[in-house]
């Protein structure tokens, strides 16, 4: 477990660990979802005119039988067992399709190919949602690197430039629970939500609270996201809130300071509140944000790279261009993991107050 400072961070981490150990498949919400579908199916069947041909009825009856079987299996404790090999059907796939009855390995080659095509399409959609990797906004410079471990990623990253004289830059980086398509879908959900909310002029704490409530209302239990959300304004002013995410590292001439989580992950409790921290960056100072694929990258002996190592890697690089800092950070992680393929999605973002342009934008 990575080192952490604040009580909020610790609580958040404990909550995340607890949630990770709760299998989504045993959740009463999934059963409730299935029961709702069963009711809608029954209504749909009852509205088909009796004069219709049997092939109109057949698919509905087949579905109803499948839903009934899934509910029965839940009662008997066999739900989520692969029909073929009696292994476990991947929980992420059950969240996506509660009627899945085969594990990935037991799918036919046609089914596997169809799944791959879906994944490639999802990957394409997801990449299309990413902001430009090199962004300049007033005196701010941002660079990030987004590396999914698989075809799709559960990491979330966005940059939203506000328009006009006072236009601030909203930066977001997070990590959603689970893996695969389910996680990628949650990521796209976060993206749409923050894009919509960013336009209505909310204070940062209200923005986070509202995003959390919306996320709670639209996800099933067991799904959550840790996330850093910040606003970069004039004269180096930064407002930042963190929903149970890893610390943000503030690099200045004096060294590296950790900005810890200020609230619980999104999606855990609808009443969560988020404290906003304010910091001021001097020209050349930067903030480094990362996901667990970076801090938890392991070496050959299983040792995690860790937050302290990231901190050391950035400490001696004050004033570096954001792109160079991101690349140096990733190179350090790769060195630590001896070039082994990452098992988790990796994202690093650097937000820097530019040196050359700073004076022109100061009040
Ligand atoms: Zn199987």
């Amino acid at each position: 477990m990575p080192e952490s400072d604040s009580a909020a961070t610790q609580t958040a981490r404990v909550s995340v660990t607890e949630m990770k150990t709760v299998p989504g498949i045993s959740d009463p919400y999934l059963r409730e979802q299935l029961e709702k579908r069963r009711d809608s199916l029954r209504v749909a069947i009852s509205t088909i005119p009796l004069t219709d041909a049997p092939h109109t009825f057949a698919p509905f009856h087949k579905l109803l039988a499948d839903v009934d079987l899934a509910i029965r299996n839940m009662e008997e404790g066999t739900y989520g067992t692969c029909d073929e090999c009696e292994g476990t059907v991947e929980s992420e796939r059950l969240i996506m399709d509660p009627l899945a009855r085969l594990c990935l390995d037991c799918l036919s080659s046609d089914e596997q190919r169809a799944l791959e095509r879906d994944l490639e399409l999802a990957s394409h959609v997801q990449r299309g949602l990413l902001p430009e990797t090199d962004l300049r906004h007033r005196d701010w410079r941002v660079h990030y690197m987004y590396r999914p471990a698989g075809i799709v990623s559960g990491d979330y990253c966005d940059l939203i430039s506000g328009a006009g004289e006072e236009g601030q830059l909203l930066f977001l980086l997070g990590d959603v629970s689970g893996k695969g398509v389910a996680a990628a879908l949650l990521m796209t959900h976060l993206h749409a939500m923050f894009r919509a909310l960013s336009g209505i002029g909310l204070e940062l704490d209200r923005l986070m609270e509202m995003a959390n409530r919306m996320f709670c209302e639209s996800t099933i239990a067991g799904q959550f996201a840790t996330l850093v959300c910040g606003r970069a304004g004039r004269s180096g002013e930064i407002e930042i809130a963190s929903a149970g995410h890893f610390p943000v590292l503030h690099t200045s001439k004096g060294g590296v300071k950790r900005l810890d989580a200020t609230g619980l992950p999104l999606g855990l409790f609808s009443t969560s509140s988020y404290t906003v921290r304010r910091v001021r960056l001097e020209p050349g100072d930067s903030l480094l944000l990362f996901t667990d694929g970076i801090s938890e990258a392991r070496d050959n002996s299983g040792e995690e790279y860790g937050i302290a190592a990231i901190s050391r890697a950035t400490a001696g690089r004050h004033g570096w261009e954001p792109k160079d800092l991101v690349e140096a950070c990733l190179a350090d992680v790769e060195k630590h993991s001896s070039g082994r393929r990452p098992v988790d999605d990796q994202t690093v973002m650097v937000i820097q107050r530019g040196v050359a342009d700073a004076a022109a934008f100061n009040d």
Side-chain angles (χ1 to χ4, degrees), residues 44-76:
I45 290 170
S46 71
T47 56
I48 302 172
L50 288 170
T51 47
D52 275 18
H55 64 76
T56 314
F57 285 95
F60 287 97
H61 282 291
K62 164 87 175 61
L63 255 178
L64 187 58
D66 287 345
V67 172
D68 281 336
L69 178 66
I71 293 172
R72 215 164 42 244
N73 287 344
M74 278 180 175
E75 283 161 0
E76 290 165 3

Side-chain angles (χ1 to χ4, degrees), residues 82 84-85 87 103 106:
C82 174
E84 209 49 52
C85 69
C103 74
C106 294

Side-chain angles (χ1 to χ4, degrees), residues 171 204 228-231 238-242 248 259-260 262 275-279 287 289 351:
F171 54 92
L204 202 60
V228 172
C229 175
R231 258 189 195 138
I238 295 262
E239 288 182 317
I240 198 158
S242 168
V248 170
L259 308 175
D260 281 301
T262 60
T275 308
V276 174
R277 182 177 278 134
R278 287 176 178 79
V279 289
L287 296 181
L289 290 69
I351 296 136

Side-chain angles (χ1 to χ4, degrees), residues 270-283:
S270 61
T271 51
S272 294
S273 59
Y274 298 89
T275 308
V276 174
R277 182 177 278 134
R278 287 176 178 79
V279 289
R280 185 186 155 96
L281 267 60
E282 298 303 325

Side-chain angles (χ1 to χ4, degrees), residues 213-235:
R213 259 205 317 281
M214 285 169 72
F215 200 65
C216 280
E217 280 160 14
S218 54
T219 54
I220 64 167
Q223 293 182 303
F224 58 89
T226 67
L227 172 120
V228 172
C229 175
R231 258 189 195 138
R234 296 177 77 89
S235 310

